[in-house]
Amino acid sequence: QVQLVESGGGLVQAGGSLRLSCVVSGRSFSTLAMGWFRQDPEKEREFVAGINWSGDATFYADSAKGRFTISRDNAKDTVYLQMNSLKPEDTAVYYCAGDLGRKQLIMTETIAYEYWGQGTQVTVST
């Protein structure tokens, strides 16, 4: 019923930028805290950035601080991840996730989220 669709991934050279988008359908977007995670074949899925339901609180992994910015537009049912100064180690599939907030789990944990998108590939070349 609930769908999350990511877009905006692609191939970029180191130092470049990408903006990812995630559109949510099937329920009220404003009720969800949202997060971005990433995963490559050799690693577990890891937290990148999160934003609360109202958009007035954001959280970042240390690897993302100062380079990435998460934001949301509740009128458009969309969450964004602006990625600047990209590095080869940022290469991964990036996933959008939605959290109903009904679990007492912090938003950096994968299991805190009920809804997941299919992912969008980000590849950063040297």
Side-chain angles (χ1 to χ4, degrees), residues 21 24 98:
S21 299
V24 179

Side-chain angles (χ1 to χ4, degrees), residues 16-33:
S17 298
L18 287 172
R19 191 191 194 197
L20 307 183
S21 299
C22 173
V23 179
V24 179
S25 63
R27 70 171 297 120
S28 178
F29 175 69
S30 63
T31 65
L32 299 173

Side-chain angles (χ1 to χ4, degrees), residues 3 15 18 28 46 60 65 78 80 90 94 105 111 113 126:
Q3 290 188 322
L18 287 172
S28 178
E46 65 175 343
Y60 297 95
K65 290 179 180 178
T78 302
Y80 306 95
D90 294 319
Y94 283 70
L105 298 169
I111 58 174
Y113 295 82
T126 57

Side-chain angles (χ1 to χ4, degrees), residues 10 29 41-42 56 59 64 75-76 82 90 92 95 107 118:
F29 175 69
E42 299 180 350
D56 59 4
F59 309 88
K76 297 181 178 179
Q82 178 67 46
D90 294 319
Y95 296 91
M107 66 191 319
Q118 297 299 304

